[in-house]
Amino acid sequence: MRILRIELKRSIAPWAGVAAFTMSLAVMYLVMEKDFLTTTGWTNQWTSMALETRAPLYFVWPLAAGLGARQGLRDHRSGATELLISTPRPTSHRAAVLSAATAITLAAAFTAVVLVGGVQVLTNTSYTHLGWVPISLVGALTVVSGAVLGMGVGRTLPFVLTPPAVAMGILVLTVLAQLSLEKVDAATGFSTWEPNLFSLLSPAAQEARDVLLTLSVSVHVGQAIWLCGMAATGFVLLTAANLRNRLIALAPVVAGAVIALLVLPSDPRQVYVVDKAAARLVCDGPVCVTNTHRARLNDFAGPARDALRMMRSALGDQAPILIREDTEVWPDSSRPRRFRQTALFDFEDHEIAAAKGKELTRALIANSLVPRCSAYLGATSSSDVSAQSIAASWVLDEPEPHSSDMAYLSSGQQDEIRKVYGELTSLPRAEQRSRISTMYLGAVACKGDPFAALGGGASR
């Protein structure tokens, strides 16, 4: 312990921790500030906090490896290598103390970032659980393994360019892993993110996709095996005195990678899994939210019941009779299931999450009658937006479509919406209801163009 205290005082280990903590907070508050108001913001839910605090590892992991490599150069730079070899103290003892000092400070830095987020989460959610802990433990293991591997490489290759080369190598791995996530949906043309085996080798590549999702056990185990193999290789390199032992030291990281690739899920749908406790429904009559959002039920139930009543009055038996939060999470490129009698919503939809009172009622009517046919939130088409505007205005018996519904549409599209709405409301009431019902049934089945159906056009 005395030697460890000396290492903590005189080595760069404390400064490595300070650098990791500062960089992590800078990324969280400057780069990811826009995510604070979403349900997956790092200060809103425990699982989201754990996942989002691993995002800075994109930069902190290479930094830890580079600083570890610089630490590994210490004996060579001081010219004391032969002197230390001649001492009776085992090399493994010195390596353990050296790696422990850096590991403690870097793990403490990562833990401090988690605590900063955790303190804020306590005030923002009533849903508390421990399922987020493995996510954060793997994050702490990431910076530790990177630093230990860097120390081993620095001692094996005692050159001035070794630290930046090690940092750059880890950075290239994270960049390639991040790029491998991108996939273009052939149906919509939108770019989506889909995890794969290679991307999972970088813990920094994870992100909070949905508040109900968490990483599966196989992801935790596979990443932990890969990172432990990396740390073991670094430690063996710290103690290796000849070329043979240094070659043997590569075995743990290679074996860790092979085993990890066998353990990690190859199916993207098995990477993120639904937290069943978080997704449990809490209901107030015909309105249900998940356990995660139960604190919002009181403010949400009234406007939601109003939406159901108005749709029932306008459409009769064709209208949905239940409104509940969607508990199924689909890959971005998939087509989710929709139901005629049950209207599904997602608090990730900003129009619903930010609305209150009458505006929330309006948003729920629009979302219920013209649901998205893509799991990707950003894939809502102009046809869907136009149809939602007309459907909500018709149910609410407004003289013309609401201007806020058309804020992001061109003036030509806005004129077209007003024209179609005028034509619709000039028809006999029975014909109006028929067109709205046709549009609704087609939208729920993801068939046809909802806006064209309102104008009496044929489905595509």
Side-chain angles (χ1 to χ4, degrees), residues 123-139:
T123 63
N124 290 332
T125 183
S126 59
Y127 175 59
T128 303
H129 62 102
L130 297 178
W132 60 274
V133 174
I135 302 173
S136 293
L137 289 177
V138 172

mmCIF file of all heavy atoms in Angstrom, residues 123-139:
data_model
loop_
_atom_site.group_PDB
_atom_site.id
_atom_site.type_symbol
_atom_site.label_atom_id
_atom_site.label_comp_id
_atom_site.label_asym_id
_atom_site.label_seq_id
_atom_site.Cartn_x
_atom_site.Cartn_y
_atom_site.Cartn_z
ATOM 1 N N THR A 123 -33.575 12.774 -9.149
ATOM 2 C CA THR A 123 -34.606 13.815 -9.062
ATOM 3 C C THR A 123 -35.551 13.811 -10.263
ATOM 4 O O THR A 123 -36.535 14.547 -10.258
ATOM 5 C CB THR A 123 -33.942 15.202 -8.953
ATOM 6 O OG1 THR A 123 -33.190 15.467 -10.147
ATOM 7 C CG2 THR A 123 -32.995 15.257 -7.768
ATOM 8 N N ASN A 124 -35.253 12.995 -11.276
ATOM 9 C CA ASN A 124 -36.042 13.042 -12.519
ATOM 10 C C ASN A 124 -36.886 11.806 -12.789
ATOM 11 O O ASN A 124 -37.673 11.801 -13.739
ATOM 12 C CB ASN A 124 -35.111 13.261 -13.720
ATOM 13 C CG ASN A 124 -34.520 14.655 -13.739
ATOM 14 O OD1 ASN A 124 -35.110 15.600 -13.228
ATOM 15 N ND2 ASN A 124 -33.344 14.792 -14.331
ATOM 16 N N THR A 125 -36.730 10.746 -11.993
ATOM 17 C CA THR A 125 -37.505 9.532 -12.256
ATOM 18 C C THR A 125 -37.915 8.864 -10.948
ATOM 19 O O THR A 125 -37.209 8.960 -9.944
ATOM 20 C CB THR A 125 -36.695 8.537 -13.112
ATOM 21 O OG1 THR A 125 -37.507 7.396 -13.401
ATOM 22 C CG2 THR A 125 -35.450 8.071 -12.378
ATOM 23 N N SER A 126 -39.043 8.199 -11.016
ATOM 24 C CA SER A 126 -39.507 7.432 -9.862
ATOM 25 C C SER A 126 -39.233 5.942 -10.045
ATOM 26 O O SER A 126 -39.497 5.152 -9.146
ATOM 27 C CB SER A 126 -41.019 7.647 -9.664
ATOM 28 O OG SER A 126 -41.738 7.247 -10.828
ATOM 29 N N TYR A 127 -38.719 5.569 -11.220
ATOM 30 C CA TYR A 127 -38.425 4.161 -11.506
ATOM 31 C C TYR A 127 -36.954 3.888 -11.214
ATOM 32 O O TYR A 127 -36.066 4.346 -11.937
ATOM 33 C CB TYR A 127 -38.759 3.831 -12.960
ATOM 34 C CG TYR A 127 -38.375 2.425 -13.363
ATOM 35 C CD1 TYR A 127 -38.910 1.328 -12.701
ATOM 36 C CD2 TYR A 127 -37.479 2.190 -14.402
ATOM 37 C CE1 TYR A 127 -38.559 0.037 -13.051
ATOM 38 C CE2 TYR A 127 -37.131 0.909 -14.772
ATOM 39 C CZ TYR A 127 -37.675 -0.163 -14.089
ATOM 40 O OH TYR A 127 -37.311 -1.441 -14.442
ATOM 41 N N THR A 128 -36.701 3.157 -10.142
ATOM 42 C CA THR A 128 -35.334 2.871 -9.712
ATOM 43 C C THR A 128 -35.068 1.375 -9.819
ATOM 44 O O THR A 128 -35.910 0.562 -9.434
ATOM 45 C CB THR A 128 -35.120 3.333 -8.259
ATOM 46 O OG1 THR A 128 -35.429 4.720 -8.162
ATOM 47 C CG2 THR A 128 -33.687 3.102 -7.826
ATOM 48 N N HIS A 129 -33.906 1.007 -10.320
ATOM 49 C CA HIS A 129 -33.530 -0.397 -10.480
ATOM 50 C C HIS A 129 -32.017 -0.486 -10.543
ATOM 51 O O HIS A 129 -31.307 0.531 -10.546
ATOM 52 C CB HIS A 129 -34.148 -0.972 -11.753
ATOM 53 C CG HIS A 129 -33.665 -0.277 -13.003
ATOM 54 N ND1 HIS A 129 -32.721 -0.818 -13.837
ATOM 55 C CD2 HIS A 129 -33.993 0.916 -13.546
ATOM 56 C CE1 HIS A 129 -32.491 0.008 -14.839
ATOM 57 N NE2 HIS A 129 -33.252 1.068 -14.685
ATOM 58 N N LEU A 130 -31.497 -1.715 -10.569
ATOM 59 C CA LEU A 130 -30.050 -1.941 -10.611
ATOM 60 C C LEU A 130 -29.598 -2.556 -11.931
ATOM 61 O O LEU A 130 -28.440 -2.943 -12.071
ATOM 62 C CB LEU A 130 -29.620 -2.850 -9.452
ATOM 63 C CG LEU A 130 -29.843 -2.290 -8.042
ATOM 64 C CD1 LEU A 130 -29.425 -3.323 -7.001
ATOM 65 C CD2 LEU A 130 -29.056 -0.999 -7.841
ATOM 66 N N GLY A 131 -30.497 -2.628 -12.904
ATOM 67 C CA GLY A 131 -30.136 -3.220 -14.190
ATOM 68 C C GLY A 131 -29.098 -2.427 -14.959
ATOM 69 O O GLY A 131 -28.474 -2.952 -15.892
ATOM 70 N N TRP A 132 -28.898 -1.156 -14.564
ATOM 71 C CA TRP A 132 -27.920 -0.323 -15.254
ATOM 72 C C TRP A 132 -26.489 -0.590 -14.797
ATOM 73 O O TRP A 132 -25.528 -0.203 -15.479
ATOM 74 C CB TRP A 132 -28.241 1.153 -15.014
ATOM 75 C CG TRP A 132 -28.218 1.526 -13.560
ATOM 76 C CD1 TRP A 132 -29.244 1.422 -12.665
ATOM 77 C CD2 TRP A 132 -27.089 2.044 -12.822
ATOM 78 N NE1 TRP A 132 -28.841 1.856 -11.426
ATOM 79 C CE2 TRP A 132 -27.534 2.232 -11.499
ATOM 80 C CE3 TRP A 132 -25.785 2.366 -13.162
ATOM 81 C CZ2 TRP A 132 -26.691 2.725 -10.501
ATOM 82 C CZ3 TRP A 132 -24.938 2.862 -12.175
ATOM 83 C CH2 TRP A 132 -25.395 3.042 -10.861
ATOM 84 N N VAL A 133 -26.318 -1.249 -13.645
ATOM 85 C CA VAL A 133 -24.979 -1.416 -13.062
ATOM 86 C C VAL A 133 -24.021 -2.175 -13.988
ATOM 87 O O VAL A 133 -22.866 -1.751 -14.171
ATOM 88 C CB VAL A 133 -25.082 -2.096 -11.683
ATOM 89 C CG1 VAL A 133 -23.683 -2.404 -11.128
ATOM 90 C CG2 VAL A 133 -25.850 -1.201 -10.706
ATOM 91 N N PRO A 134 -24.413 -3.321 -14.600
ATOM 92 C CA PRO A 134 -23.472 -4.004 -15.504
ATOM 93 C C PRO A 134 -23.006 -3.133 -16.668
ATOM 94 O O PRO A 134 -21.855 -3.259 -17.118
ATOM 95 C CB PRO A 134 -24.281 -5.207 -16.008
ATOM 96 C CG PRO A 134 -25.316 -5.440 -14.958
ATOM 97 C CD PRO A 134 -25.668 -4.085 -14.447
ATOM 98 N N ILE A 135 -23.868 -2.251 -17.147
ATOM 99 C CA ILE A 135 -23.482 -1.361 -18.248
ATOM 100 C C ILE A 135 -22.328 -0.461 -17.810
ATOM 101 O O ILE A 135 -21.344 -0.278 -18.530
ATOM 102 C CB ILE A 135 -24.682 -0.517 -18.703
ATOM 103 C CG1 ILE A 135 -25.831 -1.418 -19.150
ATOM 104 C CG2 ILE A 135 -24.289 0.429 -19.831
ATOM 105 C CD1 ILE A 135 -27.113 -0.677 -19.458
ATOM 106 N N SER A 136 -22.434 0.093 -16.610
ATOM 107 C CA SER A 136 -21.387 0.982 -16.105
ATOM 108 C C SER A 136 -20.121 0.223 -15.715
ATOM 109 O O SER A 136 -19.008 0.734 -15.881
ATOM 110 C CB SER A 136 -21.911 1.774 -14.903
ATOM 111 O OG SER A 136 -22.926 2.673 -15.295
ATOM 112 N N LEU A 137 -20.278 -0.998 -15.219
ATOM 113 C CA LEU A 137 -19.096 -1.791 -14.872
ATOM 114 C C LEU A 137 -18.253 -2.089 -16.112
ATOM 115 O O LEU A 137 -17.019 -2.025 -16.066
ATOM 116 C CB LEU A 137 -19.516 -3.096 -14.192
ATOM 117 C CG LEU A 137 -20.071 -2.973 -12.765
ATOM 118 C CD1 LEU A 137 -20.508 -4.339 -12.246
ATOM 119 C CD2 LEU A 137 -19.020 -2.365 -11.839
ATOM 120 N N VAL A 138 -18.917 -2.413 -17.222
ATOM 121 C CA VAL A 138 -18.180 -2.648 -18.472
ATOM 122 C C VAL A 138 -17.505 -1.357 -18.932
ATOM 123 O O VAL A 138 -16.384 -1.379 -19.454
ATOM 124 C CB VAL A 138 -19.120 -3.197 -19.558
ATOM 125 C CG1 VAL A 138 -18.412 -3.258 -20.913
ATOM 126 C CG2 VAL A 138 -19.625 -4.579 -19.173
ATOM 127 N N GLY A 139 -18.157 -0.219 -18.716
ATOM 128 C CA GLY A 139 -17.549 1.056 -19.066
ATOM 129 C C GLY A 139 -16.276 1.316 -18.271
ATOM 130 O O GLY A 139 -15.259 1.760 -18.823
#
